[in-house]
Amino acid sequence: MAVNDKISALDVMRDAPVIPVIVLHDVKDAVPLARALVAGGIRMLEVTLRTREALECIELISKEVPEAVAGAGTIRSAADAQASALAGARFGVSPGYTRSVGKACHDLGLPLLPGVATGSEIMMAQEDGLTELKFFPAVQAGGLAMLKAWQGPFGDVKFCPTGGVHAGNAHEFLALSNVACVGGSWIVPTDAIAAGDWGRIEALAREACQLSR
């Protein structure tokens, strides 16, 4: 996948078994973290908009680590989507779904993985043409049992469960036919980022890529 290739939400979900949920507090960590994840086999990087440094981190990754595909997480408004696209994000992830966020991402050409937790939210997203969805917060909202229940009425939807997913249970989610990947922060632990332990993060990424789906 070249740096300027257009991607879809399904491309984002299928690239690796895990999309890392990244929280960065220092811009100096952005590039080495991205390089470590790419070296470990993970290219789709969700940098959450939970810190004031997030947009600058996305911009740095986009410019300096062309092998990575930087995305923006925690998109909650059209303004968030616009700022993310301007920073170089190539996909977006939201904790929930509103039509204004969906329209903004569509107009920007920014593939979106919107968060859903109920059947009604899935139906609203589908009405707007979205069939690749983030199930959030996955464990707290019903976990494996909920995903299995959705296989019947929403058999045409692919999910990325995020929230409470970790190395110990990720394989159970990935075994489900309607799960394309999972989202998780366990491969980017805050203590490893703080210590600059990029070797540990690369190793965690390699382990995550071995998860079967």
Side-chain angles (χ1 to χ4, degrees), residues 17-18 143-144 147-148 151 158-161 165-166 168-182 210-213:
V18 182
L144 296 165
L147 285 163
K148 289 175 182 177
Q151 285 174 331
K158 292 294 184 185
F159 295 97
C160 172
V165 181
H166 51 75
N169 64 8
H171 66 284
E172 296 180 274
F173 285 97
L174 290 165
L176 299 178
S177 61
N178 56 346
V179 171
C181 68
V182 299
Q210 298 305 309
L211 289 166
S212 59
R213 54 181 175 172

Side-chain angles (χ1 to χ4, degrees), residues 3-207:
V3 66
N4 292 319
D5 282 354
K6 185 172 177 58
I7 61 171
S8 67
L10 194 57
D11 292 329
V12 174
M13 295 173 83
R14 285 182 169 170
D15 201 67
V18 182
I19 297 174
V21 180
I22 301 166
V23 181
L24 287 168
H25 296 276
D26 195 326
V27 294
K28 72 175 175 54
D29 295 327
V31 169
L33 174 66
R35 286 177 176 156
L37 289 167
V38 169
I42 292 180
R43 302 183 301 166
M44 303 293 171
L45 313 182
E46 178 192 341
V47 179
T48 63
L49 302 183
R50 300 180 193 177
T51 66
R52 68 183 69 183
E53 297 83 7
L55 290 170
E56 188 176 353
C57 290
I58 291 170
E59 186 172 4
L60 282 170
I61 293 169
S62 299
K63 289 180 177 177
E64 298 191 30
V65 193
E67 318 93 279
V69 179
T74 325
I75 290 178
R76 299 190 302 166
S77 66
D80 284 345
Q82 291 161 357
S84 299
L86 284 172
R90 294 178 62 196
F91 68 92
V93 184
S94 59
Y97 182 66
T98 65
R99 293 213 146 115
S100 62
V101 166
K103 183 179 187 304
C105 289
H106 178 270
D107 292 347
L108 290 161
L110 192 68
L112 176 66
L113 293 178
V116 298
T118 67
S120 297
E121 291 167 336
I122 295 170
M123 290 169 65
M124 183 169 68
Q126 282 193 293
E127 283 182 3
D128 293 343
L130 299 165
T131 56
E132 288 80 41
L133 310 176
K134 168 183 170 178
F135 176 32
F136 178 80
V139 170
Q140 297 86 341
L144 296 165
M146 183 68 85
L147 285 163
K148 289 175 182 177
W150 282 342
Q151 285 174 331
F154 302 116
D156 54 341
V157 176
K158 292 294 184 185
F159 295 97
C160 172
T162 306
V165 181
H166 51 75
N169 64 8
H171 66 284
E172 296 180 274
F173 285 97
L174 290 165
L176 299 178
S177 61
N178 56 346
V179 171
C181 68
V182 299
S185 59
W186 82 88
I187 57 175
V188 284
T190 54
D191 60 335
I193 294 174
D197 192 350
W198 312 123
R200 179 183 168 199
I201 288 173
E202 179 181 340
L204 288 168
R206 288 188 188 282
E207 290 174 11

